[in-house]
Amino acid sequence: MDDYYTKPYCRMGPYIVGIVTGFILYRTRGKYKIKKPLNLFIWVCMASLACIVTFGIYEESIGNAMSVEIAALYNAVHRTLWGVCVSWVVFACVTGNGGYVNTSLSWSPFVPLGRLLYCVYLVHPLAIDAYYMSRRQGVYGTDTEVIYVFLGNLLMSYMAAVVLCLAVESPLMALEKTILRKDKKTK
């Protein structure tokens, strides 16, 4: 865990993919039209790739061991490929090639949840650690247990994010707007 999972250089692939995607979006100013057949083909490829990355270790999770070569390949590329899939969704939605996915992700009830997302990202490890560190016995990983723990951690993370957003982020944003507005008036 300490040698592999938490090290930032193990996430270098998706980080670089995100930087390249951001640079492309910056250079194209978010205007890049793709013909419908090619767009559909890329969506199918990216959806298939995302499913392979997500469910690629299913056989191992039920007790069927992967070959060493396949396991090494999966461990070497799965994070970068997931970053490519997420970057495609971002690129397609920004450039107007997102279709139904963009419509779904732009649904108005997602707006307040999206505004809290960065705070949730910052607090969720603390919520997960607080849950597991307070347990007095081990966890038996049934489907029901995993769903219950996931939903509980999600709810606790969002509740803590609301508090953090109201106590820290919103006042600092208001202060920043006030300071920047005064700078514009003096020019």
Side-chain angles (χ1 to χ4, degrees), residues 5-27:
Y5 190 78
T6 59
K7 299 300 183 207
Y9 49 78
C10 293
R11 308 287 195 281
M12 189 62 71
Y15 184 71
I16 292 171
V17 168
I19 289 174
V20 169
T21 303
F23 179 74
I24 291 170
L25 285 171
Y26 172 76
R27 296 291 284 185

Side-chain angles (χ1 to χ4, degrees), residues 112-113 115-128 150-169:
L113 297 176
R115 291 182 195 227
L116 290 173
L117 204 55
Y118 186 65
C119 286
V120 170
Y121 168 74
L122 293 176
V123 216
H124 87 275
L126 301 173
I128 292 170
F150 168 77
L151 291 176
N153 284 329
L154 182 68
L155 180 66
M156 293 304 293
S157 297
Y158 265 101
M159 288 171 40
V162 167
V163 171
L164 184 65
C165 187
L166 292 174
V168 178
E169 187 178 10

Side-chain angles (χ1 to χ4, degrees), residues 7 9 25 55 60 65 70 95 104 107 147 152 156 162-163 175 177:
K7 299 300 183 207
Y9 49 78
L25 285 171
F55 301 113
E60 184 152 314
I70 298 295
T95 58
S104 300
W107 189 41
I147 292 169
M156 293 304 293
V162 167
V163 171
L175 182 63
K177 285 181 184 178

Side-chain angles (χ1 to χ4, degrees), residues 40-118:
L40 181 62
F41 176 73
I42 295 172
W43 272 108
V44 168
C45 288
M46 290 300 150
S48 301
L49 191 58
C51 288
I52 289 169
V53 169
T54 303
F55 301 113
I57 57 171
Y58 173 73
E59 285 297 319
E60 184 152 314
S61 71
I62 61 171
N64 302 329
M66 271 194 239
S67 69
V68 173
E69 295 83 11
I70 298 295
L73 176 67
Y74 183 83
N75 282 323
V77 300
H78 78 278
R79 286 191 175 106
T80 303
L81 292 178
W82 183 256
V84 168
C85 295
V86 171
S87 291
W88 165 251
V89 172
V90 170
F91 179 82
C93 290
V94 168
T95 58
N97 298 298
Y100 296 117
V101 173
N102 188 32
T103 303
S104 300
L105 293 175
S106 301
W107 189 41
S108 60
F110 287 151
V111 172
L113 297 176
R115 291 182 195 227
L116 290 173
L117 204 55
Y118 186 65

